């Protein structure tokens, strides 16, 4: 078969096929530079698929995988998708193929406020941006108990946080500390299994913490059991402190 003989498919519309060993099924779809797609190849018998490949309009391979995969198109044009059967075995397998368009969520983040969002489609990412005007000590407070939801944070120095799970255990939030330089930042939430679902988190600045006076009792309540409270106090090198939490 040649690429011109590939079956046309519409992104977002599933197509059914049957893959035979040692054969290749060809499909083609249109896309624009920067478009993102989630390639979902499902229901195949184990051992039938060798891999699938995506070829750009100029014949260059842009993706090769044996799993579901997200791709971003490098240029506008017609792309060819090859579903390739293994040379072993004799039994064909039915399959379902869906090249799903992916539209990421982009919005501004307010440091100190709870951020709530949702991954609404497979392979979608929620992308948040914010700017720090001065060096800051940040605290990321996970308000979601889902190990599959992961956070990355990039800024002027590059990667500040990579694949951090939005997770807490024993009803205690998991908090990570970030020493952040001034500049523009991007925080991205994704589901590592390409599933959908809601999430909550809060990114604090240490300057937003409630001030403690050493030697003076402080009373307070948390908004809910899985949210951390943030306090700050001044101390000198060598000071010995005892924390009494009741």
């Amino acid at each position: 078969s040649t690429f011109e003989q590939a079956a046309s498919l519409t992104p977002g519309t599933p197509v059914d096929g049957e893959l035979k060993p040692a054969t290749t099924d060809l499909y083609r779809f249109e896309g624009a530079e920067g478009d993102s797609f989630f390639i979902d190849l499902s229901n195949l018998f184990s051992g039938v698929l060798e891999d699938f490949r995506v070829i750009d309009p100029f014949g260059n391979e842009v993706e090769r995988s044996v799993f579901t995969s997200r791709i971003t198109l490098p240029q506008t044009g017609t792309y060819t998708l090859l579903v390739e059967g293994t040379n072993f075995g004799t039994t064909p397998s039915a399959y379902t193929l869906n090249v799903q368009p992916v539209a990421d969520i982009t919005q501004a983040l307010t440091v100190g406020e709870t951020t709530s969002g949702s991954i609404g489609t497979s392979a979608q990412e929620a992308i948040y941006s914010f700017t720090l005007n001065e060096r800051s000590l940040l605290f990321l407070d996970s308000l979601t108990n889902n190990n599959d939801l992961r956070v990355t944070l990039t800024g002027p120095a590059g990667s500040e946080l990579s694949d951090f799970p939005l997770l807490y255990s024993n009803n205690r939030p998991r908090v990570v500390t970030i020493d952040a330089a001034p500049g523009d930042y991007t925080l991205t939430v994704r589901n590592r299994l390409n599933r959908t679902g809601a999430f909550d988190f809060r990114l604090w600045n240490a300057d937003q913490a409630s001030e403690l006076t050493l030697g003076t009792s402080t009373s307070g309540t948390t908004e809910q059991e899985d949210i951390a409270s943030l306090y700050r106090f001044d101390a000198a090198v060598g000071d010995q402190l005892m924390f009494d939490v009741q």
Side-chain angles (χ1 to χ4, degrees), residues 128-132 153-156 160 179-187:
Y128 300 91
S129 59
F130 63 95
T131 300
L132 297 176
L153 178 66
T154 58
E160 298 285 357
D179 183 13
D184 296 328
Y185 286 81
T186 300
L187 186 151

Side-chain angles (χ1 to χ4, degrees), residues 80-96:
T80 305
L81 193 153
L82 294 76
V83 181
E84 300 178 314
T86 180
N87 290 324
F88 304 99
T90 58
T91 304
S93 173
Y95 64 85
T96 300

Side-chain angles (χ1 to χ4, degrees), residues 218-232:
T218 298
S219 300
T221 58
T222 57
E223 299 174 23
Q224 61 189 66
E225 65 179 7
D226 54 359
I227 292 182
S229 298
L230 195 64
Y231 296 92
R232 61 188 173 91

